[in-house]
Structures are given as C-alpha cells and as structure tokens.
Amino acid sequence: MTQFSRNQPTSCRRNGMTTDDDNRTEVAEFLLMGFSDSWEMQIVHAAVFLLVYLAALTGNLLIIMLTALDVHLQTPMYFFLRNLSFLDFCYISVTAPKSIVSSLTHDTSISFFGCALQAFSFMDLATTEVAILTVMSYDRYVAICQPLHYEIIINQGACVKMMGMSWLSGVICGLMHVTAIFSLPFCGPNRVHQFFCDIPQLLSLVDSKVIIIETGIMVLGTSLVIICFVSITLSYMYIFSVIMRIPSKEGRSKTFSTCIPHLVVAALFMISGSVAYVKPISNSPSVLDVLLSVFYTVVPPTLNPIIYSLRNKDMKAALRRQCGTRWRTWLGTRTPELLF
C-alpha cells in the first residue's frame, strides 16, 4: 500500500507550475517496478537472480580468499583484483537481494531512507568500479609496455594511494547524487520504473528545481566515465601494439585471450550505464529499460570472477595449493583419531 507522511505541507514544482497545498504530503516510501506482473515470471526471475547472485558471491569470495592467503599472489595486480572482487561482492548485494525478495513476497515497497541508502550505495560502488577498472588497465599497461619500470611506478605506496582515491571518488559521487535528489521532497507519484532506486528513474519523481542540479551532476559523472573508458581503451591499444611484436604466435594468442575479455566487460559496464544515464527520461519506461540496467548491475560482478579466475593459471594454481594445504591439515588433525 502506498504510504505518505502526515501533516507535512510542501511546495512542489512540476511542468513549470508551483503548487502550495497544506493537504499535499511528502512521499514516505517508493514502489519498485518488477520484471513482470505474472506470478510465474516473478518466480522465474527470483530463481534466476538467486542463482546469479550466489554464483557472483561464490566467485568473488573465492578470489578474495585466494589473493589474501596465497603468498604467490601478493603482487599489485592481485591487490587490485582483491579490491575489485570485494567491491563486486558489495555491488551486486545492493540490488539483487531486494529484487529477489520483492518477487517472492509481492512487496515492491522500499522506504524513503532505504531508497536513499540504496541510491547512494549503488552510485558509490559503481563509480569506484569504474575507477578500479581504470587503475587495473593502467597496471597492465605498465607491466607489459614498461616492464623495466614496473616495480618503480607500481610500488606499494602507489597501489594504496590509487585504491584510496578510487574508493574516495565513489563516496564523493554517491553523496553528490543523493544530496541533489533527496534534499527536497518528492511530491506526487511514488512508483519507480526500475527494480531498484536508480537515479534516472528517481529524476522523474523529484521536484523539477532539483532536476537541473542533478542533470549537471549526471553530465559531469558521465563525462568522467567516458574519460576513464577512453583511458582504458588507449591502455589496451598500447598493450595490443606490444603484443603484436611478440614473435611467438602462442604467446600473442594467450595475451589476447586474457586482455580482450577484460576490455569487453569494462565496455559493457560503462557503455550500458552511460546510455541509461544520458538518454531522455521516459514517463513510461519499457521492460527493455529494466533489462538494460541488468547489464550494469548484475552482469559485471558475475563475469569478473570468471574472467579473472577461471582463465588465470596463477589463480588455478593457488586454488590447488590452498586445497592441498587444507586437505593435509585436515588429515594431520584426523590421523591420531584414526589410529586410536
């Protein structure tokens, strides 16, 4: 049921008209849009999202564990990867669980504070992911194109600073968006045409005085995403130019097979997100708009563990070592019991 706060007169401006009405009240909760009104399709959606969510959690937790425990993976590349996996673990947890529960319970409501927290967390983590992907492409560029200077440029202090700046940029971006949108009251309709509190869809519900401010922030954010994407693309172009000079055909194909999936996932994440944030806001979004959001909310955290672990020989070797160590430790503790 739609709920509104009581006895809070507001002044709302919509379509060039200002309304002052003591009986008009602020929105106290929002209703999120599902993938379908059919009960059967909602069950299918919940099942698919649950499987994808569990796969993403398992893959990212595995990478975090291996890169933290294995002594052979204590390098800058795996330090960045550990941060990316932790971020993806949090990133998909912001949207997927709520969507799964909503589909199973038929309750699509989310409180005003819950929506603001979800919007902040999503923008914070999405911005941080863009920054970390950019840092990781730069790390690969230095490793392949300037190998003799790698340890000097990508030292421990530089790694910590780059990760610190990446996480800080996410917090700043999230605060900017949430402050601009939630500083003034939402008046009128409270249905968000998305399966989570996404900024573009919230814009259609907010006081028109805020839209100008938030639009400016979105344009700035999208411009920075484009700059990061261009930087990533240039880094890989330089990497590919070096790869082409490798005499071994096997070496070239191995490096290409490693780098191209990284570039594809980064492009999918950034392009789909940028399209969703710069296209005109529709009063009646289609299911395609919801599906588009899946490409920048669910797909990257699920694909990243597959690309960075299953296709990585060092990660596979680390997994075998850790499993072997745990097995020998378990046998060592069980041997006295077996003897007696």
Side-chain angles (χ1 to χ4, degrees):
M1 178 182 292
T2 303
Q3 297 180 0
F4 300 91
S5 59
R6 303 295 183 183
N7 302 321
Q8 294 186 23
T10 61
S11 175
C12 297
R13 181 179 178 85
R14 290 189 176 281
N15 301 322
M17 299 178 61
T18 303
T19 302
D20 292 288
D21 187 357
D22 289 341
N23 296 322
R24 196 173 182 86
T25 54
E26 297 179 20
V27 172
E29 71 171 18
F30 297 94
L31 299 177
L32 302 175
M33 176 181 173
F35 283 86
S36 174
D37 294 329
S38 168
W39 167 245
E40 292 78 9
M41 290 304 299
Q42 288 180 11
I43 293 297
V44 172
H45 156 253
V48 171
F49 260 46
L50 179 60
L51 290 175
V52 171
Y53 180 59
L54 292 177
L57 292 190
T58 303
N60 285 297
L61 285 175
L62 181 63
I63 291 177
I64 293 171
M65 181 189 71
L66 290 177
T67 55
L69 296 178
D70 195 273
V71 294
H72 298 87
L73 301 183
Q74 305 306 309
T75 62
M77 183 179 77
Y78 293 107
F79 170 73
F80 297 141
L81 181 57
R82 182 162 62 248
N83 276 266
L84 179 66
S85 295
F86 175 72
L87 183 144
D88 282 338
F89 174 87
C90 299
Y91 183 63
I92 196 171
S93 298
V94 170
T95 56
K98 172 61 180 174
S99 181
I100 294 169
V101 172
S102 296
S103 294
L104 294 176
T105 61
H106 296 288
D107 181 12
T108 61
S109 63
I110 184 171
S111 67
F112 185 90
F113 175 77
C115 186
L117 181 61
Q118 189 181 58
F120 166 76
S121 300
F122 179 78
M123 290 307 305
D124 173 10
L125 296 172
T127 303
T128 304
E129 175 133 357
V130 171
I132 291 180
L133 289 174
T134 306
V135 169
M136 292 179 72
S137 70
Y138 175 68
D139 170 70
R140 291 299 83 204
Y141 161 76
V142 177
I144 295 175
C145 300
Q146 302 182 39
L148 298 180
H149 301 90
Y150 181 76
E151 293 185 359
I152 299 175
I153 298 174
I154 311 295
N155 54 56
Q156 184 177 5
C159 292
V160 173
K161 289 177 182 177
M162 286 190 286
M163 283 300 96
M165 292 300 295
S166 297
W167 286 97
L168 180 61
S169 66
V171 173
I172 293 173
C173 183
L175 287 175
M176 289 173 62
H177 281 286
V178 171
T179 301
I181 289 186
F182 290 90
S183 58
L184 293 179
F186 288 79
C187 304
N190 68 333
R191 185 166 183 81
V192 180
H193 293 279
Q194 189 58 273
F195 69 93
F196 68 103
C197 288
D198 202 10
I199 298 296
Q201 301 306 325
L202 290 173
L203 275 179
S204 63
L205 309 178
V206 80
D207 191 309
S208 60
K209 289 182 290 185
V210 186
I211 292 180
I212 298 176
I213 301 173
E214 175 58 23
T215 301
I217 295 174
M218 287 176 64
V219 170
L220 174 62
T222 305
S223 300
L224 293 176
V225 170
I226 293 173
I227 292 173
C228 289
F229 180 67
V230 170
S231 299
I232 292 173
T233 304
L234 289 176
S235 295
Y236 279 105
M237 286 178 63
Y238 281 112
I239 290 172
F240 293 152
S241 67
V242 172
I243 293 173
M244 293 304 296
R245 294 198 293 267
I246 297 177
S248 170
K249 183 178 180 180
E250 182 181 352
R252 289 199 303 268
S253 62
K254 177 184 175 181
T255 312
F256 270 121
S257 66
T258 302
C259 293
I260 289 178
H262 300 179
L263 184 59
V264 169
V265 172
L268 182 66
F269 171 64
M270 295 184 187
I271 293 175
S272 60
S274 298
V275 169
Y277 275 64
V278 299
K279 71 181 185 65
I281 303 171
S282 173
N283 292 325
S284 57
S286 65
V287 177
L288 291 177
D289 293 318
V290 180
L291 292 177
L292 176 65
S293 65
V294 172
F295 284 100
Y296 61 87
T297 56
V298 177
V299 173
T302 308
L303 288 184
N304 281 338
I306 297 174
I307 291 173
Y308 289 103
S309 60
L310 295 181
R311 299 175 59 87
N312 188 309
K313 289 185 177 180
D314 292 337
M315 293 292 291
K316 293 178 183 178
L319 180 59
R320 286 192 294 268
R321 283 193 297 269
Q322 293 302 316
C323 289
T325 301
R326 298 294 178 270
W327 176 250
R328 286 192 296 271
T329 302
W330 184 83
L331 285 179
T333 58
R334 296 289 294 176
T335 299
E337 297 180 12
L338 296 174
L339 291 175
F340 294 98

